[in-house]
Amino acid sequence: MPPKSGDSAELNYDMNYNLFLLKTSMQNLKSAQDKHSVNRWVHKLLASNKSIAEMKLRNDFMYHLVTSVQEGELRAPFNQYPPSAPLSNLTYLLTGNAPSAGKDGNKGGGSWECDLSSEDTDKPMLYRQSPDGGAFLAAQPVPKCGAFCYLAVVSKPPAKDDKPKL
């Protein structure tokens, strides 16, 4: 189903507004390297318009880029050139943590680990215990006003010695 023109028009309007804000605040950056990095991010974000979901994610990245430039100092991930991966694979960059590999090298590992190493204590508990490191949550819309609720239902298979109750 193609995106509704109204949805994409609103998302494009927001993107263009953020582009205007970005252009007017570029003088806050002192380093030519930072300005070049911003330009590369803008080109990557402008090319991310294949679906409504991608456009929403693009706008989330753009918002964080604009706030970083307005403050005059680029924060991660914008202080580096954008990765070549599609934007949908980069949601972890908004949460500030890389995709984690499980004990056997697989992402997520399928277990709910509670590793409280010193580098992880800055992250919210929900992100630390999430198998994807919070990537799913980072891609979800967060209300400007009100509450955000997240509910997860997880089941585990019964142990071999457990007998079903009749």
Side-chain angles (χ1 to χ4, degrees):
M1 172 189 251
K4 295 178 186 175
S5 61
D7 292 341
S8 61
E10 289 177 22
L11 292 169
N12 285 330
Y13 178 85
D14 290 345
M15 180 66 175
N16 288 331
Y17 180 74
N18 281 324
L19 276 172
F20 168 77
L21 293 176
L22 186 69
K23 288 177 184 178
T24 59
S25 57
M26 282 292 282
Q27 76 272 6
N28 294 346
L29 297 176
K30 306 297 181 219
S31 161
Q33 175 69 27
D34 285 350
K35 291 177 183 178
H36 190 63
S37 181
V38 168
N39 284 330
R40 291 185 97 168
W41 271 100
V42 167
H43 286 288
K44 179 170 190 73
L45 295 175
L46 286 173
S48 301
N49 60 0
K50 310 289 184 287
S51 68
I52 294 294
E54 187 177 44
M55 292 169 78
K56 287 179 180 179
L57 184 58
R58 169 199 71 184
N59 288 0
D60 288 343
F61 270 94
M62 188 64 174
Y63 169 79
H64 290 289
L65 177 60
V66 168
T67 57
S68 183
V69 170
Q70 286 175 333
E71 293 171 1
E73 186 174 342
L74 292 182
R75 294 184 306 266
F78 306 111
N79 56 352
Q80 303 289 324
Y81 291 157
S84 59
L87 202 58
S88 59
N89 294 348
L90 303 178
T91 56
Y92 69 90
L93 293 174
L94 290 178
T95 63
N97 50 330
S100 58
K103 292 174 183 154
D104 58 355
N106 295 333
K107 285 185 185 178
S111 64
W112 289 75
E113 300 175 346
C114 188
D115 180 19
L116 297 177
S117 64
S118 62
E119 67 184 37
D120 285 342
T121 56
D122 294 341
K123 301 174 193 164
M125 182 181 74
L126 187 58
Y127 286 3
R128 288 193 313 257
Q129 292 183 340
S130 176
D132 65 355
F136 172 78
L137 290 173
Q140 302 307 308
V142 177
K144 294 179 183 174
C145 176
F148 177 77
C149 179
Y150 174 70
L151 174 69
V153 178
V154 180
S155 67
K156 65 180 191 178
K160 291 181 183 177
D161 57 346
D162 285 349
K163 294 181 181 174
K165 296 178 182 176
L166 301 174

